[in-house]
Structure formats: structure tokens, C-alpha cells
Amino acid sequence: MNRRNCWICKVCRYGSERPPSNLTVEEVLQWAQSFEKLMATKYGPAVYAAYLKMEYSDENMQFWMACETYKKIASRRSRVSRAKKLYEIYIQPESPREINIDSSTREAIMRNIQEPTQSCFEEAQKVVYMHMERDSYPRFLKSEMYQKLLKTIQSNNNS
């Protein structure tokens, strides 16, 4: 996301833009109910991803979203190609956006990547989801970014 064009950044950092009109107070409040609800809403994943980027820890969210896209690949040829790219970017030791997963999960992916299935990254995706839910999600809810967005939405709703 380019910070100059990102509505999230403009609202949360500068207060210079109104959030999308279909982003409701109810949705933003739902994000605080559970990580699962945050991830299931229309704008929650994008706002959370912007927060993680500000924290310099957005590789988990990028990997999780890439896995969601990967699962929908029907073509075997495309799946093989995409699986290798995911491995090179996120799984391979010392990769540019290496995610924090245990060695047994990493080794299983290394074995499965030769004939990748739609679920070959599922275990790593679960681990990453758990990291986000337990570590960065509580910080997100306390963050200035979330609090400012909530306050902006509430004040827009009252005006």
C-alpha cells in the first residue's frame, strides 16, 4: 500500500480523509470482539495489514493472504509454480520475508512442495494465524491507529 494513496494511513495518521462510507462503527467494534471476526469483515484484514506494515511485521499477514489465494488455484501447473514462489518468499530459511514456523512444519512443506496440494501450506498458515492472534492482534486493539480510526468513525456517525 502506497502511504500517499492509502485511506487507512490518511485517516489514522493525518486525520485528513474520511473513511469509506460503508465502513461502520459496528464493523470496527466487531474487530475488538475476536481476531476471527476482524479477519471475516470487509475492511478488517486491510486495516490490520496496514497496522502490521507500520510495525514492520506484515510478512505473516501477507503469507496468510497468499495462502488464501493459493488454496483457490485449480490448475496443477499454476499450483506448482505458486507453491515454489511461496516457499522462496516465506518458508525457505533466510528468505526475504521468512515467517516464524517450527522446523517440522518447514520440513513438511519442503517435502510436499514437490507435488503440492491445495493444503500443503495449511499447517504453516495455522501457525502464522496463531502468531497474529496471540501477539500482534492485542497490540493492534490498543494501538493509536485502531483507537483513532474508531474515534473518527464514531464522530462521523454522530455528525
Side-chain angles (χ1 to χ4, degrees):
M1 260 181 248
N2 182 334
R3 286 185 187 205
R4 289 181 15 198
N5 300 326
C6 171
W7 67 264
I8 300 165
C9 298
K10 289 177 181 177
V11 169
C12 298
R13 283 198 165 169
Y14 314 118
S16 65
E17 188 169 302
R18 293 178 69 106
S21 60
N22 55 349
L23 177 60
T24 64
V25 173
E26 291 75 23
E27 179 177 341
V28 177
L29 288 171
Q30 266 187 354
W31 301 346
Q33 292 173 8
S34 73
F35 186 65
E36 187 176 344
K37 287 187 179 184
L38 167 83
M39 296 298 282
T41 61
K42 181 174 182 176
Y43 292 105
V47 173
Y48 185 65
Y51 168 75
L52 291 175
K53 190 170 186 85
M54 286 174 25
E55 263 203 345
Y56 302 101
S57 63
D58 59 329
E59 67 281 346
N60 286 337
M61 185 64 157
Q62 287 183 350
F63 174 73
W64 189 87
M65 291 184 346
C67 287
E68 289 298 294
T69 302
Y70 172 83
K71 290 179 200 177
K72 296 173 186 164
I73 298 173
S75 157
R76 182 193 173 284
R77 186 176 185 177
S78 296
R79 193 168 45 243
V80 168
S81 171
R82 189 66 188 142
K84 288 182 180 175
K85 284 181 185 168
L86 286 173
Y87 176 79
E88 290 168 2
I89 295 169
Y90 299 104
I91 307 298
Q92 183 176 308
E94 306 298 319
S95 60
R97 305 197 55 78
E98 183 180 1
I99 57 170
N100 182 11
I101 55 174
D102 56 273
S103 60
S104 61
T105 302
R106 189 178 313 276
E107 289 164 9
I109 292 171
M110 289 167 55
R111 283 190 305 274
N112 295 336
I113 203 167
Q114 304 311 314
E115 286 296 322
T117 63
Q118 288 174 312
S119 62
C120 76
F121 293 100
E122 202 166 271
E123 193 57 37
Q125 190 181 19
K126 286 177 186 174
V127 169
V128 161
Y129 188 92
M130 182 194 67
H131 286 314
M132 291 190 297
E133 183 176 35
R134 290 184 181 167
D135 298 335
S136 51
Y137 171 67
R139 288 193 308 273
F140 166 73
L141 294 177
K142 294 175 187 170
S143 72
E144 181 182 348
M145 176 187 201
Y146 175 72
Q147 297 300 322
K148 194 169 189 177
L149 178 61
L150 179 57
K151 194 177 288 185
T152 301
I153 297 284
Q154 287 171 329
S155 68
N156 287 350
N157 204 33
N158 293 333
S159 54

